[in-house]
Amino acid sequence: MEKIQEIWFDNGRIFMRSVSGNVFSRPLEAFPVLKDASDVERQQFYIWGNGEYVRWKALDEDISVDSFMETQEPDFDNEVSNIFKRCPWLDIAEVAKFIGMPKAVLDRFIYGIWQPKEDTLSVIKRGIKSMSIELSSAVS
């Protein structure tokens, strides 16, 4: 198993050099907490667990070596992303809270890093419909 030696960020990606010298990279969309963080916040990490994890204490975010082995790249041409493209005024954090889903999970669906199962997609759609009903009733 690879062990983390070095972490750095460049061009919307996080990079990891392993002790064996291999370099792995993932898009920040795979780690929405880091994507939303400032450059200064991203630099405040430490490697722990015998080189198996990276921790950002202030962000309450941990990434394992295994996360760098995944290969999924962002795919913004997906149903969840298209909903938010049509409604850019929607606050993703508030929608996530309203439907009872962590923002980082909803972000991964929007970025196409994860694909929601049909029941999860229904929860997202029902939640947005419910929000629109509440909005309509507020102005009637």
Side-chain angles (χ1 to χ4, degrees):
M1 175 192 235
E2 298 280 358
K3 304 284 185 186
I4 301 167
Q5 177 179 353
E6 181 183 9
I7 296 289
W8 73 95
F9 298 87
D10 188 34
N11 202 24
R13 299 184 73 83
I14 181 172
F15 291 83
M16 184 266 290
R17 184 181 324 279
S18 70
V19 172
S20 61
N22 294 318
V23 174
F24 301 91
S25 170
R26 299 283 289 133
L28 285 178
E29 287 85 355
F31 310 106
V33 171
L34 294 178
K35 182 168 177 40
D36 291 345
S38 70
D39 289 338
V40 170
E41 290 171 318
R42 286 187 201 127
Q43 295 306 317
Q44 297 172 347
F45 64 86
Y46 59 92
I47 299 167
W48 66 281
N50 196 28
E52 293 183 30
Y53 301 95
V54 183
R55 170 98 178 129
W56 288 263
K57 186 175 181 180
L59 300 172
D60 193 25
E61 180 78 334
D62 292 276
I63 297 177
S64 71
V65 165
D66 293 338
S67 299
F68 287 96
M69 304 305 143
E70 296 174 15
T71 59
Q72 183 67 32
E73 292 290 321
D75 175 11
F76 294 100
D77 188 20
N78 68 74
E79 193 166 2
V80 178
S81 181
N82 290 334
I83 291 169
F84 284 86
K85 285 177 195 168
R86 287 184 63 191
C87 307
W89 58 87
L90 286 175
D91 182 303
I92 295 168
E94 291 301 319
V95 172
K97 189 184 313 179
F98 189 85
I99 64 177
M101 178 180 290
K103 180 185 179 295
V105 171
L106 184 55
D107 281 337
R108 286 181 178 102
F109 293 144
I110 292 168
Y111 300 145
I113 295 293
W114 292 352
Q115 299 302 316
K117 294 182 179 174
E118 197 57 43
D119 60 329
T120 303
L121 182 58
S122 293
V123 166
I124 294 167
K125 289 178 174 180
R126 277 195 316 269
I128 292 172
K129 285 178 185 176
S130 180
M131 290 175 84
S132 71
I133 291 167
E134 282 195 34
L135 256 159
S136 291
S137 67
V139 295
S140 349

